[in-house]
Amino acid sequence: MERTRANQLNRRRFLAQAGLVGGVGAVATQPGSSQALAASNLASSSKPSRVLVLGAGMSGLTAALALHRRGHDVQVLEYQNRIGGRLISVPLKNGQTTEGGGGHFRTNMPLVCGYISRFRLPLIAMNDGCPRFHVAGQIGDANLMQPWPWELQPGERNVSLPSLLANALVKVGINLNTVLEPHWPNPQVLKQLDPLTLKSLLQSTGASEALIRLIDAYAAEATVDTAVLALLPDFAYHFADRNLFRIAGGNERLPQAMAQVLGNRVHLGVPAVSIRQTANEISVVTKDGRTWTADSVISTIPFTILREMEITPRLLPRKQALVDQLEWSPVVKVYVQTRTPLWLKNGVHGWPMAASDRPWERVIDITGNEPGGYGNIFFYLTGKNAENFLKRPKETRAMEVVNQFRADLPGLIDEVVTVGEFSWPDQPWIKAAFANLPLGAGWMIQEWQIPEGRLHFAGDFTTLKSGWVEGAIESGLRAARQIDPQARPEFEIELS
Ligand SMILES: Cc1cc2nc3c(=O)[nH]c(=O)nc-3n(C[C@H](O)[C@H](O)[C@H](O)COP(=O)(O)OP(=O)(O)OC[C@H]3O[C@@H](n4cnc5c(N)ncnc54)[C@H](O)[C@@H]3O)c2cc1C
């Protein structure tokens, strides 16, 4: 038996192993074969149970793998004919890849780093953003803080936006570094933040309207009118760590590698249509008419879909309110490949390279050190912007967005070789991109952790890290531990 070293993971080792220190991305090595990785904990599993996991995204696969390692009889039922859920990679020319969903990771995501390291996936290092802001018809460059064309207060000048935001939060007693801790927020902080939007919080610290508009542009999918409780984890990820990366060949390689260990326990193209439980067991009927019976079910089905399913007996009123009232936002990505990443010459790059209050919120450069030589960016459209985009003619709408940007920053995108779109509202297995905690809905945080009899819930949307793979993994482990408290993350497993 050899103990994997990933459980002693630290940032330096992770970066070195991934090839982010001292060179380009590491060469891919295959994870151990399914056989070599056979569950080593069978003997210690006191009572194997039958578990159905609904959904083969990151949360479902995390839960399934953790329980499989403990010797439980796990079957994963997936709606689509593919693995990965919202990690979905799109091939471009010259061997490059863009991401329809989850696009980047950071080293302040210990679970993500642990799983990537465990499967020895090669990485592409990416640049953090040095954006141009397009706000109120004016353009300001994050490189050139002086002069900014906005009416900022004296104390708001000459400092970067992330620093200003962090300062504002400290004034109301919030340390962004604590926000990502597993048990954040405590009851007192929850009570304090639950009724606040980001805007009301910033106003209470005396922030100028210009600063609030700039932060609104920077926040992209999250507007300043969003519940601050839902926003803070996003800010903690974006601002507390500047080491960005993605998986060479596509982020969906991570869930694919996890599914490979599970082998024929993963069943594709079998949407669950109903769930029924009794005192003794729980069963799921899939669209093909089959009935699957188990001791427990872990559902990672997005609530946009779950709320339309037949569940017997009905969910308790508070759980039903959670499923019905959690909000979901639309997102469209318009991706663009260019002959060269020529924006680097203009001093803008990274995540994001432009932030705006225009019909696109962000332009994000994911090129980094990806081999292939082409520039690789996407436009991020959310909320009303995404809805308006989807009303435009399908043949021309992606190019319309690109053309708008061409007018904004002349010369920046002159060498387009590929343009395409990935629209989240059009995906029938989710119909949206992310869940957002509504204002004043802090009660949901506890509710989404509570199983309903034999039915357990996971998915990034059952954490405050909604919209992040870190949250998806965290939720999968939580649900697995509700069934078997000894369930552990993949990188802590002893491998033979
Ligand atoms: C546009 C976008 C950008 C993102 N950017 C980032 C990023 O930069 N970094 C980051 O870390 N994260 C990012 N994310 C979030 C990340 O992709 C998710 O956190 C993660 O993939 C969610 O995993 P999950 O298992 O919780 O849910 P999902 O991946 O949604 O998995 C749910 C699964 O359930 C299946 N399903 C649905 N209905 C049924 C049914 N009836 N029966 C059986 N199966 C069903 C679905 O097909 C799907 O496979 C982004 C997501 C989007 C959409």
Side-chain angles (χ1 to χ4, degrees):
M1 298 273 249
E2 179 195 280
R3 179 179 285 274
T4 172
R5 287 191 299 166
N7 57 346
Q8 300 148 16
L9 193 75
N10 60 32
R11 172 178 297 198
R12 176 87 196 161
R13 174 171 300 144
F14 174 74
L15 292 172
Q17 183 176 334
L20 291 179
V21 170
V24 198
V27 178
T29 50
Q30 289 298 316
S33 69
S34 224
Q35 220 171 12
L37 301 179
S40 56
N41 288 312
L42 259 175
S44 56
S45 171
S46 50
K47 192 168 176 273
S49 67
R50 298 165 301 161
V51 183
L52 291 172
V53 176
L54 308 182
M58 282 302 297
S59 60
L61 292 169
T62 298
L65 213 41
L67 292 169
H68 165 64
R69 295 295 193 195
R70 293 279 302 153
H72 299 288
D73 171 8
V74 179
Q75 306 293 325
V76 181
L77 309 181
E78 166 55 46
Y79 182 123
Q80 301 175 72
N81 280 312
R82 56 170 287 277
I83 305 283
R86 276 174 284 158
L87 289 186
I88 180 162
S89 309
V90 182
L92 299 173
K93 295 194 175 84
N94 254 17
Q96 290 186 306
T97 315
T98 188
E99 301 293 340
H104 82 292
F105 309 115
R106 295 175 188 245
T107 47
N108 59 357
M109 301 173 174
L111 294 170
V112 170
C113 291
Y115 276 75
I116 288 179
S117 176
R118 148 75 182 84
F119 287 99
R120 304 187 68 79
L121 293 165
L123 301 184
I124 292 164
M126 292 158 58
N127 287 310
D128 195 21
C130 193
R132 288 204 174 147
F133 290 88
H134 303 236
V135 173
Q138 315 217 61
I139 300 180
D141 191 324
N143 269 328
L144 308 167
M145 306 286 296
Q146 183 69 22
W148 279 59
W150 297 288
E151 289 292 320
L152 294 170
Q153 295 166 2
E156 296 170 344
R157 295 191 192 128
N158 303 325
V159 183
S160 73
L161 216 56
S163 299
L164 284 175
L165 181 67
N167 282 354
L169 294 174
V170 166
K171 282 187 198 161
V172 292
I174 298 165
N175 173 352
L176 262 190
N177 291 325
T178 62
V179 164
L180 298 177
E181 288 170 1
H183 301 296
W184 187 87
N186 66 32
Q188 190 193 338
V189 174
L190 177 62
K191 197 169 166 210
Q192 175 198 359
L193 299 183
D194 200 22
L196 296 181
T197 62
L198 180 63
K199 189 176 192 170
S200 54
L201 184 145
L202 288 170
Q203 282 170 336
S204 75
T205 67
S208 68
E209 282 307 306
L211 178 62
I212 291 173
R213 287 192 78 169
L214 280 173
I215 289 177
D216 200 24
Y218 201 100
E221 71 266 22
T223 75
V224 290
D225 295 317
T226 304
V228 76
L229 265 178
L231 275 180
L232 289 183
D234 284 13
F235 287 145
Y237 282 130
H238 281 297
F239 299 141
D241 188 306
R242 302 177 72 87
N243 299 299
L244 284 75
F245 56 91
R246 59 191 169 104
I247 298 173
N251 289 338
E252 67 180 13
R253 288 182 65 189
L254 177 57
Q256 285 169 352
M258 293 164 78
Q260 203 183 330
V261 178
L262 291 163
N264 61 11
R265 294 171 187 84
V266 181
H267 308 267
L268 299 180
V270 283
V273 292
S274 65
I275 302 171
R276 172 183 293 269
Q277 59 176 315
T278 64
N280 300 324
E281 60 183 20
I282 182 162
S283 60
V284 171
V285 175
T286 47
K287 202 172 173 189
D288 56 7
R290 275 189 283 176
T291 301
W292 309 67
T293 304
D295 300 306
S296 313
V297 166
I298 297 176
S299 172
T300 75
I301 298 174
F303 292 167
T304 44
I305 305 299
L306 192 72
R307 60 179 67 138
E308 291 165 5
M309 284 173 55
E310 191 188 320
I311 301 178
T312 316
R314 289 172 65 100
L315 296 175
L316 293 173
R318 207 168 152 86
K319 187 73 87 248
Q320 190 65 52
L322 163 68
V323 171
D324 291 342
Q325 291 169 22
L326 191 65
E327 288 172 359
W328 294 76
S329 57
V331 172
V332 172
K333 279 186 178 180
V334 172
Y335 53 86
V336 183
Q337 198 178 16
T338 58
R339 242 182 300 282
T340 60
L342 71 161
W343 44 85
L344 294 177
K345 291 185 200 139
N346 296 48
V348 287
H349 54 69
W351 194 293
M353 74 169 185
S356 93
D357 60 359
R358 303 288 311 276
W360 46 270
E361 287 105 307
R362 281 178 153 205
V363 184
I364 294 173
D365 161 34
I366 62 167
T367 317
N369 62 358
E370 183 175 34
Y374 286 176
N376 195 348
I377 59 174
F378 53 76
F379 291 80
Y380 211 86
L381 285 73
T382 72
K384 285 266 170 294
N385 283 342
E387 283 162 14
N388 290 338
F389 173 89
L390 293 170
K391 288 181 199 148
R392 305 288 304 155
K394 198 161 186 169
E395 311 73 48
T396 50
R397 61 195 184 189
M399 205 58 210
E400 281 174 19
V401 174
V402 179
N403 280 333
Q404 267 179 346
F405 191 62
R406 196 198 302 266
D408 284 331
L409 290 179
L412 204 65
I413 304 184
D414 278 343
E415 305 180 50
V416 174
V417 290
T418 310
V419 178
E421 66 174 69
F422 195 93
S423 158
W424 282 94
D426 291 341
Q427 309 306 312
W429 48 274
I430 185 163
K431 300 180 187 169
F434 313 109
N436 303 316
L437 192 75
L439 194 61
W443 61 270
M444 290 183 176
I445 298 171
Q446 194 192 8
E447 186 59 36
W448 61 42
Q449 302 177 41
I450 303 173
E452 192 107 342
R454 294 170 179 274
L455 179 56
H456 303 254
F457 299 89
D460 67 346
F461 44 89
T462 64
T463 73
L464 267 181
K465 293 162 188 150
S466 178
W468 297 99
V469 170
E470 187 75 4
I473 298 176
E474 194 176 289
S475 73
L477 289 171
R478 183 191 66 221
R481 285 176 178 144
Q482 288 172 349
I483 293 168
D484 181 343
Q486 300 301 316
R488 281 148 50 198
E490 188 63 9
F491 54 89
E492 285 181 0
I493 302 284
E494 288 185 356
L495 304 172
S496 51

